[in-house]
Amino acid sequence: MAVMAATKTQRVPPSDGLRGEISVPGDKSISHRAVILGSIASGRSEITGFLEGEDNLRTVEAFRAMGVRIEAPARGRLVINGVGLTGLKPPGGTIYAGNSGTTARLLCGLLSGQTFIATIDGDASLRARPMKRVTGPLREMGAVISGKDEGAYLPLTIKGSKLHGINHTSIIASAQVKSAILLAGLYADGETTVTEQSLSPSRNHTEIMLRGLGAPIDIKSKGLRVTIKKTEALRPFGAIEIPGDISSAAFFMVGALVTPGSGLCIKGVGINPTRTGIIDILTRMGADIELVNRKDDLAEPMADITVKSSGLRGVKISGEELLRAIDEFPVICVAAACARGTTVIGGASELRVKESDRISAMARALAAAGVKAEERPDGIVIHGGGGVRGGTIESLGDHRVAMAMAIAGLASTGGIEIKDAACVDVSFPGFFSLLEGVRAG
Ligand code: S3P
């Protein structure tokens, strides 16, 4: 379970298609939550399909530092000996969240209700990402948080305090904000409600898990309003199997769509409806995608995804639709570059505060690969159909930019060289070897 942070340049040559059957690593969001909730549950949880990406290992390290015994007996398996809601210990030093927004933001919520002081820090990218969206509502709950620019940025120091419930309406639909507030809500007197104003809720893995562990949680208005009450204890998971990450599968889906003669099956992928925007968007673009072997009765439903090469067309994509595919923006840009016609993505200014400014990163990377793309304040316009020439691109240390441009490399005429490609380990260790394994040529 070592955390690697080497940088390397990776070249992805053009490909004659992706063929075969693969599995992708476990879902990143669910893996984080399984560690967090397993650690504060009362008893033993055994996780399979855990994603051993750098981000998730930061969460594991944080809870180990707070006295939770977490064993890793085999690849993708964790045994967590949960210490109960009040059993965490002060960490010996600063909690280092690395590149992981989910670790930093969810821990802000959880630490607010403890009885000790802790500091969270991160890498240069995470230090530049906005934290007021979590520290603001947490302070309203009574949290005592100090940090850079009055708690707008990491590093943040959180002094565990007595909390009270709030009624929070999110201006930005964000699962990290919602989850941070709900985690604090476990410790807050009274009721804590989070309401989202979007048409569909942000990813709802925290709510699903809290309900499964017996927390007094009420989910209303099609998931847009969630209320939690102060909680005495959470039962452990016992055993939990984490499905494959649809955000990781998305790279292979687009890879198969944009290369000729492809036929790929991605097994056991999570298809929680808050995450399947990518399938809807690609289908609208003309993709031949099917969900087979569906297991819809699971708390987190899953299916095998089959994809065949398809002629794609440009589409208009709004922020509402993108909410269910927020992390897929980079690879959607690549699908758009390979599609006939123009794709316009709007209402997506949140993409500017992800692991990189993904609007600018993708506009620059596509331009460097010979694709016509125009950056807009809240999105991008991509003129597809002109072919992807190839070239050298900068990942800017953003795992999803690196992987998206690797997929562009498959569809290019000259191949793409990706600088700083080791960042893929943040969410998808083994990405390049898996890609190599399904290349038909
Ligand atoms: C995540 C929520 C999303 C997503 C991120 C993971 C989560 O972020 O982009 O990769 O696990 O809750 P926001 O909540 O900032 O939209």
Side-chain angles (χ1 to χ4, degrees):
M1 301 254 298
V3 174
M4 65 167 277
T7 59
K8 66 169 183 207
T9 298
Q10 183 84 35
R11 195 183 129 72
V12 179
S15 163
D16 291 336
L18 304 185
R19 288 201 270 278
E21 208 175 84
I22 55 165
S23 301
V24 292
D27 188 277
K28 180 154 84 75
S29 294
I30 301 177
S31 292
H32 279 300
R33 286 152 173 86
V35 172
I36 296 171
L37 294 179
S39 293
I40 56 169
S42 305
R44 191 173 187 274
S45 294
E46 202 170 325
I47 305 173
T48 48
F50 175 73
L51 168 62
E52 284 160 11
E54 286 177 7
D55 272 14
N56 297 94
L57 298 182
R58 300 296 181 195
T59 298
V60 170
E61 283 167 18
F63 283 92
R64 282 185 175 149
M66 290 189 282
V68 183
R69 198 154 53 82
I70 303 178
E71 297 143 44
R75 188 122 185 254
R77 262 186 70 205
L78 285 185
V79 176
I80 303 179
N81 298 282
V83 295
L85 279 160
T86 56
L88 295 174
K89 306 245 164 37
T94 296
I95 293 175
Y96 184 64
N99 196 243
S100 177
T102 308
T103 309
R105 293 194 177 121
L106 269 57
L107 281 184
C108 276
L110 183 72
L111 291 170
S112 294
Q114 305 302 314
T115 51
F116 52 81
I117 299 180
T119 298
I120 307 175
D121 203 356
D123 67 8
S125 152
L126 192 55
R127 276 186 168 199
R129 294 180 68 186
M131 292 293 152
K132 256 233 158 93
R133 54 183 67 192
V134 273
T135 57
L138 291 172
R139 280 172 172 157
E140 275 177 48
M141 294 176 80
V144 179
I145 303 175
S146 57
K148 196 166 162 256
D149 288 354
E150 294 175 6
Y153 297 101
L154 294 183
L156 292 172
T157 297
I158 299 149
K159 181 172 181 288
S161 326
K162 195 169 157 44
L163 305 179
H164 54 82
I166 55 164
N167 209 325
H168 177 78
T169 300
S170 290
I171 313 159
I172 319 149
S174 158
Q176 292 178 353
V177 174
K178 173 173 66 177
S179 302
I181 298 171
L182 293 176
L183 289 172
L186 288 168
Y187 297 87
D189 286 338
E191 285 188 355
T192 300
T193 298
V194 182
T195 306
E196 289 181 308
Q197 291 176 313
S198 40
L199 294 178
S200 58
S202 61
R203 64 191 68 190
N204 60 0
H205 309 300
T206 306
E207 299 92 292
I208 289 175
M209 260 185 207
L210 281 168
R211 188 172 54 193
L213 301 186
I217 189 163
D218 192 19
I219 305 166
K220 287 202 286 264
S221 306
K222 298 190 178 139
L224 290 168
R225 177 166 301 182
V226 185
T227 300
I228 193 154
K229 288 189 196 142
K230 187 172 177 144
T231 306
E232 293 309 319
L234 296 174
R235 52 175 177 260
F237 289 104
I240 174 174
E241 191 190 334
I242 296 177
D245 197 328
I246 191 165
S247 298
S248 297
F251 298 107
F252 285 86
M253 285 159 62
V254 174
L257 289 172
V258 301
T259 49
S262 289
L264 196 63
C265 176
I266 313 164
K267 308 275 286 175
V269 181
I271 52 160
N272 177 318
T274 62
R275 300 283 301 281
T276 48
I278 182 66
I279 294 176
D280 299 345
I281 291 169
L282 292 175
T283 303
R284 222 153 51 72
M285 294 177 85
D288 184 346
I289 298 181
E290 262 185 86
L291 298 186
V292 294
N293 294 329
R294 289 181 74 124
K295 292 183 188 135
D296 284 304
D297 50 340
L298 299 174
E300 290 286 357
M302 55 200 264
D304 300 341
I305 301 179
T306 62
V307 194
K308 294 194 188 117
S309 318
S310 310
L312 302 180
R313 54 182 172 270
V315 291
K316 222 174 152 178
I317 302 169
S318 73
E320 275 292 344
E321 193 176 21
L322 202 63
L323 172 63
R324 292 173 52 246
I326 188 80
D327 292 339
E328 284 65 83
F329 172 83
V331 82
I332 291 170
C333 290
V334 172
C338 300
R340 258 180 303 110
T342 302
T343 292
V344 182
I345 305 178
S349 44
E350 261 300 295
L351 268 312
R352 293 208 180 269
V353 289
K354 293 292 181 190
E355 286 84 328
S356 69
D357 174 343
R358 285 187 173 156
I359 295 177
S360 142
M362 284 310 298
R364 282 201 260 162
L366 289 175
V371 177
K372 259 180 80 188
E374 293 143 28
E375 197 177 328
R376 290 201 173 157
D378 71 336
I380 194 166
V381 179
I382 297 166
H383 304 281
V388 180
R389 183 197 61 224
T392 299
I393 71 100
E394 303 284 341
S395 74
L396 303 176
D398 185 328
H399 54 132
R400 298 200 200 279
V401 171
M403 290 187 278
M405 291 312 292
I407 298 306
L410 301 176
S412 69
T413 44
I416 290 186
E417 194 169 81
I418 301 144
K419 293 254 188 84
D420 196 0
C423 60
V424 302
D425 289 349
V426 159
S427 66
F428 201 155
F431 169 78
F432 287 108
S433 36
L434 196 58
L435 191 58
E436 210 38 53
V438 288
R439 289 177 76 106

